[in-house]
Amino acid sequence: ETEQSFQLTYERVQKLALSRLHVFPFSRRPGTQAAMLPILPASVVKERTQKLRGLSSKLHHQFCQRFQGQKRDVLAEPSGEGWTDNYIRVPLPDKKVPPGVLVSVTL
């Protein structure tokens, strides 16, 4: 993509305020129109990937902040952490909770 189209994508994603992005470099797929696009220098791909991953971190932090102070059910994992129903990873107050148990946690 051009620098202009990348900037447009970045700005639109920023405005959407998603909770997180799944970012990975483009992979050519034979037979698709995208396979005929020019190959960008690795440094450009790396820079854009890092920029989008940084945006993802920022968006995820903002998303998590919206739930601060709320009680949520958390599915316990063996690690002593767990996941809320909206995919926020949180430490469990009691690390001895068996995996698979739902625990009410104030975020």
Side-chain angles (χ1 to χ4, degrees):
E1 66 188 341
T2 65
E3 182 61 34
Q4 182 181 5
S5 63
F6 173 76
Q7 269 310 121
L8 184 59
T9 297
Y10 186 91
E11 290 166 11
R12 285 184 177 168
V13 168
Q14 197 170 24
K15 286 178 185 174
L16 286 172
L18 303 170
S19 64
R20 170 176 290 167
L21 304 175
H22 182 75
V23 180
F24 54 94
F26 169 74
S27 300
R28 284 193 179 281
R29 301 266 193 284
T32 65
Q33 288 183 342
M36 302 199 310
L37 293 173
I39 296 175
L40 295 174
S43 60
V44 172
V45 173
K46 183 177 180 179
E47 177 187 333
R48 290 179 182 178
T49 300
Q50 288 175 337
K51 189 172 181 179
L52 285 172
R53 287 183 177 151
L55 176 58
S56 180
S57 293
K58 178 183 170 186
L59 292 172
H60 187 65
H61 178 75
Q62 291 170 348
F63 175 78
C64 292
Q65 290 298 312
R66 293 188 353 223
F67 299 95
Q68 189 172 6
Q70 290 185 16
K71 274 196 173 216
R72 303 295 285 214
D73 285 336
V74 175
L75 182 62
E77 292 190 339
S79 63
E81 296 180 321
W83 294 93
T84 64
D85 61 331
N86 57 352
Y87 301 103
I88 297 175
R89 189 161 183 81
V90 295
L92 298 172
D94 180 358
K95 304 292 184 203
K96 297 177 185 174
V97 175
V101 173
L102 281 177
V103 181
S104 184
V105 174
T106 301
L107 305 182

